[in-house]
Amino acid sequence: MPLTAVVLAAGLGTRMRSPVAKVLHPLLGRPMVRWIVDALQAQGADVVVVVHHHEEQVRGALADAGVRFARQTAPRGTGDALLAALPELPDGGPVLVTAGDTPLLRAESVGRLLGQHHGPATVAAFEARDPTGYGRVVEGVGIVEEAACTPRQREIRLVNSGFYVFDAAYLRRKLPALEPHPPKGEYWLTDLVDARAKVVAGFGEEEFLGVNDRAALAEARDILSRRINRAWAAQGVEFDSLEHALVEVGVRLEPGARVGYGTAIRGESRVAGDLGENCVVVDSIVEAGATVRAGSVCEGAVVRAGAVVGPLARLRPGARVEAGAHVGNFCEVKNATLHPGAKVNHLSYVGDASIGAGTNVGAGAITCNYDGVQKHRTEVGAGVFIGTNVSLVAPVTVGDGAIVGAGTVVGQDVPADAIAVGRPELKIHPGRAEKLRARKRAAKG
Ligand code: UD1
Ligand code: CA
């Protein structure tokens, strides 16, 4: 029998104090609601998402998720939300129902509740350290919302997780008959969980953390991050700290990769190499045997085996650091290839360029790639020596084996094996330093 799951995601999320829909806040590269959809789909469920507030954005964010949508005309409570999904539900069989703001729900728990389901309604319950705000599980009664609890019932710590399995035929019969609760006239889904419902306790509180504000969002991020890091560590990835590393869900790591303390890996990155402390790697490839040292930022870059980047280097989109090439501290590389063994070790900018194999680029050398209107390319051949503080004014080419002297402004092509030096004349006035100082002191008074 096909399994249907409903995610209630029509609420506003006022406490987030955010212009973004609550369920769309990103958690490690995936919107919050997508985590729940994925957990449900992992158990083979056909997912229906109930929307109202920020409807277009929620539909957009789930456009490729293979879900159906139901529209609540006004958010009149969780019972009304599920009623809105009724036309999308089968006539019989189990229907999973969960909130859109509990992203820590795991696929295993979905399977567990389903396996225990029996009768008209089954609810996942847990012991809350602080039950405030939750519906209480009252024996012989069902779920009693906090607003309706007697002082005695308020003491109960076994609470409703908001995650249920219902029999579809039961929903068809009961949902349209729900009565509104004063003073707000809300329809409570929990009214369907009465004394006959099966309560499955023993779920972990952490899994049902409701993300209602940004503090809870950060808490959820920490928990998910630890889960992801643990799973990679089990696959043979070395972490300096499971706590202080952030690996987004779209990232792929290889056994033997290392993730340094404080490092974040985002987007579609693939890492098999060694990342030092406090690096940021976005949509980049770091091959096995490559090293990215502390404090470096790689975005849309490729770092091949044997290459060394950093510390404190910045690779921007289109940077390719080939085998054995080096990019050192305070260097920026953009849309440029450093061929095997090329070295750019100190304080350089290399943009829109190709640096040939084995070429050495001296400290402070810069490609002047932008003329104020357009970008131009710099082509430097193999085995070239570029001296300190050279300006390569693009478009320009330096042939294989050439030597460019320190401080030279290269405004025209340099042929292979040539020496190019251009320096302003240096004037030396022996013994004049003290005279100059005396004059300046006198002027100062
Ligand atoms: C609900 C339960 C409570 C349970 C708690 C668990 C009810 C009446 N109470 O309370 O027993 O302990 O969850 O976290 O169900 N939503 C809609 N449309 C609406 C109202 C809500 O789609 O009209 C969605 C929200 O976006 C949210 C979910 O339903 O994702 C739960 O709503 P919320 O208002 O957060 O319910 P709680 O007060 O937390
Ligand atoms: Ca809630």
Side-chain angles (χ1 to χ4, degrees):
M1 186 171 299
L3 173 64
T4 306
V6 181
V7 179
L8 308 180
L12 183 55
T14 318
R15 283 171 286 171
M16 296 296 282
R17 296 168 177 245
S18 168
V20 177
K22 168 155 102 171
V23 295
L24 296 188
H25 279 80
L27 281 171
L28 298 156
R30 202 182 263 175
M32 194 194 299
V33 66
R34 188 69 188 254
W35 284 92
I36 302 155
V37 168
D38 286 354
L40 295 166
Q41 287 178 336
Q43 293 293 337
D46 174 21
V47 177
V48 179
V49 180
V50 181
V51 291
H52 173 78
H53 285 294
H54 299 287
E55 180 179 351
E56 286 317 308
Q57 291 96 307
V58 178
R59 281 176 186 265
L62 291 173
D64 64 347
V67 302
R68 287 180 288 146
F69 295 94
R71 190 165 191 285
Q72 206 183 356
T73 50
R76 282 178 294 246
T78 49
D80 183 63
L82 190 54
L83 181 66
L86 205 53
E88 302 293 329
L89 301 186
D91 292 330
V95 175
L96 286 157
V97 177
T98 184
D101 63 355
T102 53
L104 301 176
L105 176 63
R106 290 174 309 135
E108 296 87 77
S109 298
V110 175
R112 184 176 157 216
L113 195 69
L114 260 178
Q116 305 257 353
H117 172 60
H118 178 74
T122 303
V123 60
F126 64 90
E127 289 281 342
R129 271 162 301 180
D130 173 10
T132 311
Y134 291 110
R136 312 295 202 277
V137 177
V138 181
E139 233 190 291
V141 180
I143 292 168
V144 182
E145 285 303 289
E146 187 167 79
C149 277
T150 64
R152 247 248 160 76
Q153 289 170 337
R154 270 174 197 249
E155 306 277 295
I156 295 171
R157 284 173 46 228
L158 186 65
V159 299
N160 171 21
S161 67
F163 176 42
Y164 322 83
V165 189
F166 291 105
D167 173 58
Y170 176 71
L171 291 179
R172 291 200 170 279
R173 218 168 44 244
K174 291 286 202 164
L175 270 178
L178 278 178
E179 298 280 350
H181 288 268
K184 291 200 225 157
E186 284 185 340
Y187 296 84
W188 293 350
L189 178 54
T190 45
D191 287 351
L192 297 195
V193 187
D194 59 20
R196 289 178 305 153
K198 181 167 177 186
V199 178
V200 182
F203 285 88
E205 174 163 22
E206 178 188 283
E207 220 176 320
F208 291 102
L209 171 74
V211 175
N212 295 317
D213 58 26
R214 299 218 204 198
L217 183 70
E219 214 172 306
R221 197 173 280 133
D222 283 345
I223 294 167
L224 286 173
S225 179
R226 215 166 203 292
R227 262 190 215 168
I228 292 175
N229 295 352
R230 252 183 193 289
W232 284 122
Q235 299 284 313
V237 174
E238 168 93 14
F239 282 84
D240 284 358
S241 157
L242 286 181
E243 212 90 25
H244 300 276
L246 190 155
V247 180
E248 285 192 352
V249 74
V251 169
R252 290 210 51 77
L253 305 178
E254 298 293 332
R258 179 194 155 224
V259 182
Y261 194 95
T263 285
I265 314 174
R266 301 182 183 275
E268 306 277 302
S269 297
R270 306 273 173 273
V271 176
D274 185 302
L275 305 180
E277 296 82 352
N278 295 316
C279 293
V280 178
V281 175
V282 187
D283 297 329
S284 295
I285 295 170
V286 179
E287 287 187 353
T291 303
V292 177
R293 292 191 175 139
S296 297
V297 176
C298 306
E299 208 175 337
V302 178
V303 184
R304 301 269 184 226
V308 180
V309 172
L312 299 165
R314 180 174 183 208
L315 304 184
R316 290 171 51 202
R320 300 177 70 89
V321 185
E322 299 289 343
H326 289 189
V327 179
N329 43 253
F330 310 112
C331 291
E332 175 179 342
V333 178
K334 182 213 78 173
N335 185 31
T337 301
L338 271 56
H339 290 279
K343 293 187 173 55
V344 181
N345 272 334
H346 327 272
L347 302 148
S348 282
Y349 172 57
V350 177
D352 304 307
S354 167
I355 307 294
T359 286
N360 195 302
V361 176
I366 299 285
T367 54
C368 311
N369 63 326
Y370 186 50
D371 61 13
V373 180
Q374 251 186 301
K375 302 282 172 61
H376 302 281
R377 284 196 62 83
T378 299
E379 306 284 344
V380 177
V384 170
F385 179 86
I386 303 282
T388 298
N389 241 24
V390 165
S391 300
L392 296 155
V393 185
V396 74
T397 298
V398 179
D400 293 348
I403 294 174
V404 180
T408 302
V409 175
V410 182
Q412 65 196 74
D413 292 350
V414 177
D417 297 317
I419 292 179
V421 197
R423 279 176 209 160
E425 188 198 346
L426 180 66
K427 292 183 182 139
I428 296 182
H429 307 287
R432 286 258 297 265
E434 189 44 40
K435 274 186 199 159
L436 179 64
R437 274 193 289 271
R439 212 165 62 226
K440 285 181 184 292
R441 280 192 207 104
K444 195 180 170 194

